Amino acid sequence: MVIRTSFLLLLSLTLFNVAASAAEPPVRSEAVPGGIAIIDLGPANSAPVAHYRGSRVIVLPSGEGWQALVGLPLDITPGRQTLRVAGASGAQETRTFEVKEKEYEAQYITLKNTRHVNPNPDDLKRISEDQRRSRQAFAAWSDSRPDLQFRLPVEGRLSGTFGKRRFFNNQPRKPHSGIDIAAPAGSPIIAPATGRVSEVGDYFFNGRTVFIDHGQGLVTMYCHMERIDVAVGDRVERGDTIGTVGATGRVTGPHLHWTVSLNNSRVDPFLFLPTATVAALNGAN
């Protein structure tokens, strides 16, 4: 019975990934810390240029006009926000929108490797370089229109949700910036959408890691991999294998940590997945 249930779950996830409802938008709006605000920019002959908190944001056609997809960082203070918009003529205007509060759960994790909680001086030097490379990858901008029809990058069990306030060995750390999907070591990881590999590395905390630039500030990150099958500069299509699940870096077992970043703000990956896929993942726990 367990085998049959697992098979049906994986079959369901595959079907939901391959064919989401055509009526469902590829990205859902949830104007909360760690969410996405979709802002109507009105009609224009060409795409306006929009910035939020100093970062350029995705602008896409919508009906007879345009809309902006704004990633909202987890540390944002709820309340009124301002989007700066420039038209083709250079005229500047603003759009305001509200961000609501959202409370995320706490998560307590015990690690045997205490260096993953309190790194030594040599570790800190490596971490500093890791962070520099990560910041550069997340801040990337290219003008190509992003593919928003995301698939789940690996089949498995949801083991960590987005936004949790984390404590390692009872010490507070940054909130969880992605989702964790537990799967056997060696399970294939696929690109959820078309993009270009912009960074690969073996990081102190994240282990073997791949970044994919999907265009216009939409970047995804894949951590704790056992094997990496792509190189910087490679173009990947939706469904291409980029590597395998592993347990490298700061982990308690094999899983994929998947981060989605929009205008350099880490946002909930669930907002890019079909609702049926999200429901199946949540129901598997």
Side-chain angles (χ1 to χ4, degrees), residues 12-20 150-153 155 273-274 277:
S12 298
L13 287 173
T14 301
L15 292 175
F16 289 142
N17 273 321
V18 171
F150 272 31
R151 290 177 57 181
L152 195 67
E155 292 181 344
L273 292 173
T277 299

Side-chain angles (χ1 to χ4, degrees), residues 33 86 100 141 161 208 248 250 263-264 267 282:
K100 299 180 180 179
W141 176 272
T161 55
R208 295 190 181 100
T248 57
R250 184 170 63 185
N263 51 266
N264 207 6
V267 298
N282 283 324

Side-chain angles (χ1 to χ4, degrees), residues 42 47-48 58-69 145 216:
I58 291 177
V59 173
L60 298 173
S62 174
E64 297 182 355
W66 303 88
Q67 64 181 14
L69 274 59
R145 182 174 296 179
Q216 294 195 28

Side-chain angles (χ1 to χ4, degrees), residues 6 23-24 102 117 123 143 201:
S6 299
E24 185 177 14
K102 181 171 183 176
V117 182
D123 296 334
D143 290 326

Side-chain angles (χ1 to χ4, degrees), residues 93-105:
E93 57 182 43
T94 60
R95 296 282 194 280
T96 59
F97 60 97
E98 293 288 329
V99 172
K100 299 180 180 179
E101 294 184 5
K102 181 171 183 176
E103 185 71 20
Y104 290 97
E105 296 178 358

Side-chain angles (χ1 to χ4, degrees), residues 170-191:
N170 291 319
Q171 296 186 36
R173 291 296 184 267
K174 290 183 178 180
H176 195 219
S177 62
I179 63 172
D180 291 336
I181 303 173
S187 299
I189 301 168
I190 65 166

Side-chain angles (χ1 to χ4, degrees), residues 121-175:
D122 288 337
D123 296 334
L124 291 173
K125 291 179 182 178
R126 179 182 172 191
I127 291 167
S128 178
E129 175 61 12
D130 293 348
Q131 291 173 338
R132 184 195 65 79
R133 293 169 64 183
S134 295
R135 285 194 301 269
Q136 183 175 337
F138 280 130
W141 176 272
S142 61
D143 290 326
S144 58
R145 182 174 296 179
D147 174 7
L148 300 178
Q149 300 287 347
F150 272 31
R151 290 177 57 181
L152 195 67
V154 67
E155 292 181 344
R157 175 181 59 84
L158 181 67
S159 58
T161 55
F162 175 82
K164 282 188 174 180
R165 296 173 290 113
R166 296 185 301 172
F167 297 81
F168 290 105
N169 296 0
N170 291 319
Q171 296 186 36
R173 291 296 184 267
K174 290 183 178 180

Side-chain angles (χ1 to χ4, degrees), residues 109-120 123-124 127 167-173 204-205 250:
I109 300 171
T110 300
L111 296 173
K112 294 181 180 179
N113 185 348
T114 57
R115 284 173 54 195
H116 280 157
V117 182
N118 298 301
N120 64 36
D123 296 334
L124 291 173
I127 291 167
F167 297 81
F168 290 105
N169 296 0
N170 291 319
Q171 296 186 36
R173 291 296 184 267
F204 183 79
F205 288 129
R250 184 170 63 185

